[in-house]
Amino acid sequence: MHHRGRHRRTFVGYITSSGDIRVTQYDHDSGTSVTSTLDTGFQIDDHNTPSILIRHTGHVVVFWSGHQGPSMYYRRSVALEDVSQGWERTKEIPTNTEGGTGYTYPNPVELSAENNKLYLFWRGGNYNPTWSTTTGGDQWTDASTLVSVPGQRPYMKVASNDVDTIHFAFTEAHPRNLNTSIYHMYYRAGSLYRSDGSRIGPLSAAVTPAQATKVYDADSGGGKSWVHDIAINGQGRPVITFARFPTDTDHRYHYAQWNGTAWEDRQLTAAGGTIAEKPGEINYSGGITLDHTNPSVVLLSRRIGSVNEIERWTTTGDATTWEREAITANSTVTQVRPITPRGLGSGERLGILWMAGRYPSYTEYQTHIRATS
């Protein structure tokens, strides 16, 4: 996350190979950085990477859990816009949906139009996207299911304008289990809506994928898919990136944008196969994400030669033509999972972050975090 208040600072959350939950803070004016550890010896699993929110007060709040962990933890910084002065005590989210799959994937959002209400989304005890809210005081509403697919585990990405709207892009399951498609809906003022603005129902009532808008239809013969990112463009419309799998060894990156009437879905490039060295995760692509300050910019990792390299792709807006720029080249180790910190453009210092190194599996990652200078 990038925040501009009293300071211009970027906050990067990650889990080390020894299971430490950390946040590194970089000050863009002084050029200095400081790293703070929130938890040590946690479950070694890259599903446990923490999520960061800068609240309207300026406090840095960090959420993390184990992979199907028994608890969802969070801590607030003592100082404003600063992790160097320590943290308040660790607290736990006191609510979850029923079921035995615990907590995974925290996604916090704050909406200023709703009196700075904090929404937290995660994968809950029933394996489905779950949510709860608080307006402060660490009092959380009972957890509720957002997307209901009994017996499956939908995967969801979240983006917000931080004022009054939250967009969701999701599948109905893991692509290993079903022929997965991509769906979209958004939240505003207590209700959920399809892409065209037609109301689905209240946020309090869980929806099925069929009630949302289908962005990509796997049943049309193009192969299963997995969502990678969602952002909001300058017109307030959603943009989604995802991977499509004609076969498990042939990953294709797609860019889909809502034009106000329909979804325009275009294939960008072949990506290669899985980045995991060990068998099991055949659909782990190198990654394709969006610059959230300008979703006409895409960051992706694709196979070039024997390793994955990072590229930045830019379109004029129609997504039919693209300019391509290499961020890494001639690498001796693989370069994967590029992102741009929320609130920071990809052309700025630390504007692109990614993982470099070997990736045997999600519990045996031998990587470090690199950034553009």
Side-chain angles (χ1 to χ4, degrees):
M1 292 288 295
H2 180 72
H3 181 74
R4 301 188 184 196
R6 294 186 303 171
H7 308 279
R8 294 192 309 130
R9 287 177 172 171
T10 297
F11 303 87
V12 182
Y14 51 97
I15 183 169
T16 70
S17 58
S18 60
D20 292 350
I21 304 295
R22 291 181 179 173
V23 172
T24 292
Q25 165 187 298
Y26 175 79
D27 190 291
H28 289 259
D29 294 317
S30 67
T32 60
S33 63
V34 61
T35 295
S36 179
T37 300
L38 291 90
D39 201 350
T40 59
F42 202 64
Q43 178 193 40
I44 300 172
D45 187 318
D46 73 6
H47 293 74
N48 307 342
T49 298
S51 293
I52 301 171
L53 178 69
I54 315 300
R55 300 234 42 196
H56 65 283
T57 59
H59 288 97
V60 182
V61 187
V62 180
F63 296 84
W64 74 98
S65 75
H67 187 187
Q68 301 180 39
S71 298
M72 176 73 73
Y73 305 99
Y74 66 103
R75 298 185 77 174
R76 277 187 294 265
S77 63
V78 171
L80 305 183
E81 306 175 20
D82 189 356
V83 306
S84 68
Q85 304 303 309
W87 303 87
E88 297 178 5
R89 67 177 179 87
T90 302
K91 298 178 181 179
E92 298 182 23
I93 301 298
T95 181
N96 201 0
T97 47
E98 292 185 2
T101 58
Y103 298 81
T104 317
Y105 306 134
N107 284 273
V109 174
E110 183 180 87
L111 295 183
S112 62
E114 296 189 10
N115 195 29
N116 299 307
K117 181 183 289 187
L118 191 160
Y119 288 80
L120 183 66
F121 302 92
W122 70 93
R123 189 173 73 190
N126 59 6
Y127 241 7
N128 284 189
T130 299
W131 64 277
S132 177
T133 69
T134 178
T135 55
D138 298 304
Q139 300 298 311
W140 294 86
T141 59
D142 290 342
S144 298
T145 299
L146 179 67
V147 178
S148 178
V149 187
Q152 298 294 339
R153 44 179 161 162
Y155 282 78
M156 185 175 73
K157 297 294 182 178
V158 180
S160 173
N161 64 1
D162 301 324
V163 178
D164 63 356
T165 305
I166 308 171
H167 288 266
F168 307 97
F170 55 95
T171 66
E172 64 270 74
H174 192 295
R176 193 167 50 216
N177 302 123
L178 288 179
N179 197 35
T180 44
S181 298
I182 305 293
Y183 302 85
H184 169 262
M185 65 182 180
Y186 67 90
Y187 163 82
R188 185 179 295 152
S191 293
L192 294 168
Y193 297 87
R194 300 177 187 88
S195 305
D196 63 5
S198 58
R199 184 174 182 268
I200 300 172
L203 176 62
S204 57
V207 304
T208 65
Q211 291 177 279
T213 300
K214 186 175 284 188
V215 178
Y216 165 75
D217 184 5
D219 292 333
S220 65
K224 60 191 180 182
S225 60
W226 214 348
V227 64
H228 278 232
D229 201 9
I230 181 170
I232 306 167
N233 67 18
Q235 297 174 292
R237 296 172 179 170
V239 180
I240 295 172
T241 53
F242 63 94
R244 178 175 64 88
F245 310 102
T247 70
D248 286 327
T249 58
D250 180 13
H251 301 191
R252 307 292 181 92
Y253 289 147
H254 280 243
Y255 179 95
Q257 59 182 349
W258 178 254
N259 66 13
T261 304
W263 280 94
E264 298 174 348
D265 168 27
R266 294 181 174 86
Q267 177 181 301
L268 292 190
T269 185
T274 182
I275 64 172
E277 297 176 17
K278 291 189 173 182
E281 297 296 348
I282 51 181
N283 300 123
Y284 273 20
S285 306
I288 176 169
T289 61
L290 297 153
D291 180 337
H292 283 241
T293 67
N294 177 13
S296 294
V297 177
V298 169
L299 308 171
L300 60 84
S301 167
R302 68 186 181 99
R303 187 68 55 84
I304 299 177
S306 61
V307 299
N308 276 51
E309 303 280 12
I310 307 297
E311 295 178 337
R312 174 167 47 200
W313 289 43
T314 304
T315 182
T316 56
D318 60 3
T320 57
T321 58
W322 295 82
E323 294 184 358
R324 190 166 59 192
E325 174 190 2
I327 303 300
T328 66
N330 302 314
S331 299
T332 57
V333 295
T334 201
Q335 318 286 322
V336 297
R337 293 182 174 164
I339 62 165
T340 294
R342 300 288 177 94
L344 189 67
S346 63
E348 300 187 56
R349 183 174 176 83
L350 263 70
I352 307 176
L353 298 157
W354 68 95
M355 287 168 39
R358 289 189 57 201
Y359 191 82
S361 73
Y362 61 78
T363 59
E364 299 177 65
Y365 40 94
Q366 300 165 16
T367 56
H368 60 277
I369 306 298
R370 297 186 62 190
T372 49
S373 59

